[in-house]
Amino acid sequence: MVRWVRGWSIAAKLFALQLAVIVALAAIAVALIWADARADVERDAAVKSMAIAQTIANDPFVVDGVRADDPPAVLQPYAVDVMREAEVDFITIMAPDRTRYTHPDPSQIGQEFLGSIDRALDGEPFSETYTGTLGPSVRSVVPIEDASGDVVALVSAGITVSNTQVALGARIATVVLAAALMIALGALGAWLLSRYLRRVTWGRGAEEMSRMFAYYEGVLHSIGEGLVLQDDRNRVVLANDRAQELLGLTRGSVGGTAPAPLDGLGLPPAVADVLARPDAVVDEIVITPTHVLVVDRDVVVSRARPGDPHARRVGTVTTLRDHTRLQELTGELATMTTLSDALRSQAHEFANRLHTIIALIELGRPEDAVELASSELALSQALADRLLSAVEEPVLLALLLGKAAQAGERGIRFEVDLPERLAATGIDPRETITIVGNLIDNALDAASTTAAPAIDVSIATREERLVIAVADSGAGPATGARVFDLGVTGKADAAAGGRHGQGIGLALVRQSVDRLGGRIRVDGSRFEVTLPLPRDLAAAAGSGGPGAADA
């Protein structure tokens, strides 16, 4: 039986429990009301019998009758008429020694009265329930006194218990009908509630719901991706630990008793825009001040049964994947690729020039061969020597050399303005690659569309800050500072003399600058990034140490 009940759904169990409680309460109510009604009926019977007995006791005819030579002959017809008119079951007039003068059963006349009479003999009327010759009855016994106050006889009037139960049955029928109506209304309410619970729990039982909750909690806290659940009004119902970390939410801000509105969570605008949309999202990139997120969002619908065309929108499930490290590695790989391509190109170029020099020598023109070799060596070595002597940051040095070679391949003039000495900045090299690399890449794309392509890069320390400026021969972005928003830039802008990007490069620049506590200023085609130096390096720069020279 217990195993069978365990298979019930929560709604079925609740319905059965409520129905059982309602029936039990109704039975208790009926029992209490029946007991109260029975007491009322017996009390009414006692009052009625007492009133009839007192009336008979005060009747002069009765007083004279008990003194007659044959009291039964005088009083029996009288008692029968009163019983019929008063609707009582018996009236017994008796002598003080219990001898009956009257009785509903004439054969009992002259016999001894059964019941208590002591109190009546003392002059005190009383009522009691007693089992006599007619069975259990509610009776009253009253003394009959003469003019001098002496007890000359007794009168007892009563109603049998069977007749009181007949009167009680009419009242109990009403009570039972009311109880049945209460049970019906309670059962209807319980059934409606069970239908609602069956709908919201999808007919699952308590044990099944408990297992689902345990699995649900385990999955939420074990997966490495962020998970955000929203209801049909896009309020956040739950966000797991990883999602709270990626979105910068404090523990306990979501997942409480009430869904949290989006505008009250302080989410980054880009994330809030995606979560506020009603449609599904597939692999959409969202940039926050601290992370690069790939967002997938599915709409959850509910159907009453499989294949039901009338589905309703329950909410959405959003997964957040952190691609910040992947983007950083992509930037580093792009820098290494640039250096590799530059070295490959230079090796090819040097091979061509070497063949030319050898040919000049074979033609008997050694002076021309020497001049060609010397001029090319000076041109290629000048920038490298300058960077090597000024820059102590190896990552920045390699990046600038690679971008210079890339610009040379594309026929773009590449100028670098550096102080005499640029000490190590202490800034995370990955951030340096992201900022400088993406700014120069976008400058290369913009400059390549102009008649006289040129790029000017300036790096210096000023007032405890590192200032990086990249300018090109283009007209600058038409969108101004909005060029750093994800997806704003495009090839159409580059063709018009603006910035060209993949829609993420400059957004990553802004993310890195925000993460480092710096700022960006756009003036035409000149982009200037100002970053605070770490305290120890800033103090060295302020005291005139290496890197304090102006550009």
Side-chain angles (χ1 to χ4, degrees), residues 5 69 153 155 211 233 248 256 302 310 318 367 384 421 445 481:
V5 172
D69 295 335
V155 58
R211 288 194 301 270
R233 295 165 58 185
S302 174
H310 303 290
T318 303
E367 297 81 2
R421 194 72 176 168
D445 291 333

Side-chain angles (χ1 to χ4, degrees), residues 20-86:
V21 170
I22 291 171
V23 171
L25 291 176
I28 293 173
V30 169
L32 292 176
I33 294 173
W34 179 83
D36 184 65
R38 179 177 180 178
D40 288 344
V41 169
E42 292 182 353
R43 185 166 50 251
D44 291 344
V47 171
K48 181 178 180 180
S49 62
M50 178 63 73
I52 294 172
Q54 287 179 336
T55 301
I56 294 173
N58 293 326
D59 189 344
F61 174 79
V62 175
V63 175
D64 294 339
V66 298
R67 292 177 177 177
D69 295 335
D70 188 7
V74 176
L75 297 176
Q76 175 68 9
Y78 170 81
V80 172
D81 291 338
V82 174
M83 281 190 299
R84 184 175 58 253
E85 295 295 332

Side-chain angles (χ1 to χ4, degrees), residues 25 46 78 104 113 119 133 135 146 150 152 174 212 224 232 236 277 300 324 431 437 468 490 517 533:
L25 291 176
Y78 170 81
F113 176 78
R119 293 166 59 187
T133 58
D146 58 11
D150 295 331
V152 296
T174 304
M212 287 183 61
D232 56 345
V236 178
R277 289 164 53 178
V300 180
T324 306
E431 306 287 9
I468 302 170
L533 292 173

Side-chain angles (χ1 to χ4, degrees), residues 250-295:
T250 57
R251 290 293 180 88
S253 58
V254 293
T257 56
L262 285 175
D263 54 5
L265 295 177
L267 297 173
V271 177
D273 290 343
V274 174
L275 295 182
R277 289 164 53 178
D279 56 343
V281 171
V282 178
D283 289 343
E284 181 162 331
I285 297 177
V286 175
I287 304 284
T288 71
T290 55
H291 295 89
V292 178
L293 304 177
V294 178
V295 180

